[in-house]
Amino acid sequence: AQSVTQLDSQVPVFEEAPVELRCNYSSSVSVYLFWYVQYPNQGLQLLLKYLSGSTLVKGINGFEAEFNKSQTSFHLRKPSVHISDTAEYFCAVSGDYGGSQGNLIFGKGTKLSVKP
Amino acid sequence: SQTIHQWPATLVQPVGSPLSLECTVEGTSNPNLYWYRQAAGRGLQLLFYSVGIGQISSEVPQNLSASRPQDRQFILSSKKLLLSDSGFYLCAWSVGHETDNEQFFGPGTRLTVL
């Protein structure tokens, strides 16, 4: 069975500092990987996704993530954060089922708090 | 372009009362549809998913039920709410018969059961 572990439940950081949000997954099949962001009292918005090809994926708002198959990781990074990046971030994985089910397995989320 | 709507945005209900939350998708056909719940400190829990009209799969046993009366309509219901049903309910859709499984989320409904 697939699972996703987000190692940090909360990450405080100062504005303009770099940040890395960690995500590890377990799966016995080829995977697709996603990072979503959720601002308070809103739905989830896709930041970026890895399907295949280059292991470095660039997303919206200056975020990027690197797929590391040997370490089964998909860590999210941003070189310089802004106050507006304060939100909860979710890592998710889906398997190569080849079907229409479309289920994602989500991590428990990491709350990023950017302080001035 | 595709859009997803949920209503109501917020809801306060007494214990034992019924519930009906609605989700509709525009701009696509035959989507996969999902209901999630977020409770404090518990992340995102998949409650139900549907791959077509009248086809509902339940992920966890609970006090809730789901229905899909039309292709782009997904309803979450309860006959009698419990305190533990409080949370933030999210509806999502994905393209049917696609394997990348990207899901698109609605704005959510905040349910408080008193």
Side-chain angles (χ1 to χ4, degrees):
Chain A
Q2 293 177 310
S3 67
V4 176
T5 301
Q6 291 185 243
L7 297 165
D8 306 297
S9 60
Q10 296 189 42
V11 173
V13 64
F14 287 105
E15 193 174 18
E16 297 184 6
V19 69
E20 178 180 84
L21 306 183
R22 297 179 291 171
C23 173
N24 288 87
Y25 68 92
S26 65
S27 176
S28 59
V29 299
S30 300
V31 295
Y32 304 123
L33 294 156
F34 305 82
W35 275 101
Y36 284 85
V37 60
Q38 185 181 32
Y39 299 102
N41 293 311
Q42 295 186 26
L44 275 67
Q45 177 184 3
L46 183 71
L47 270 179
L48 48 81
K49 61 183 178 182
Y50 171 79
L51 304 180
S52 64
S54 173
T55 57
L56 183 63
V57 180
K58 293 188 183 298
I60 63 171
N61 300 341
F63 284 93
E64 63 181 32
E66 186 158 17
F67 171 58
N68 188 318
K69 188 174 181 179
S70 63
Q71 296 188 11
T72 61
S73 68
F74 191 54
H75 300 333
L76 181 70
R77 302 185 182 101
K78 186 170 182 178
S80 176
V81 294
H82 302 290
I83 298 287
S84 59
D85 293 322
T86 295
E88 189 160 18
Y89 293 79
F90 292 92
C91 181
V93 62
S94 73
D96 185 8
Y97 301 114
S100 61
Q101 203 164 288
N103 286 6
L104 295 178
I105 307 299
F106 284 88
K108 292 194 172 182
T110 298
K111 291 184 178 179
L112 175 64
S113 176
V114 181
K115 303 180 185 302
Chain B
S1 64
Q2 301 88 6
T3 55
I4 179 170
H5 304 279
Q6 285 186 246
W7 63 89
T10 59
L11 191 59
V12 180
Q13 292 284 94
V15 169
S17 64
L19 173 73
S20 180
L21 303 182
E22 189 165 344
C23 170
T24 58
V25 181
E26 297 176 357
T28 188
S29 59
N30 197 31
N32 298 325
L33 294 171
Y34 311 85
W35 277 112
Y36 290 89
R37 176 171 61 201
Q38 273 185 300
R42 296 188 62 183
L44 211 61
Q45 181 185 32
L46 179 62
L47 302 176
F48 302 94
Y49 67 90
S50 170
V51 299
I53 295 174
Q55 300 179 61
I56 308 295
S57 296
S58 175
E59 287 294 293
V60 293
Q62 59 211 316
N63 185 43
L64 302 168
S65 62
S67 62
R68 185 170 176 175
Q70 300 180 43
D71 181 46
R72 289 168 290 177
Q73 184 185 31
F74 205 23
I75 297 172
L76 184 70
S77 304
S78 174
K79 292 182 179 178
K80 287 186 178 181
L81 284 168
L82 305 172
L83 286 174
S84 57
D85 292 324
S86 293
F88 192 51
Y89 288 82
L90 289 163
C91 181
W93 72 273
S94 67
V95 176
H97 305 289
E98 288 288 336
T99 57
D100 69 10
N101 299 338
E102 178 180 349
Q103 291 183 15
F104 303 88
F105 285 80
T109 295
R110 174 74 59 190
L111 172 65
T112 303
V113 182
L114 302 175

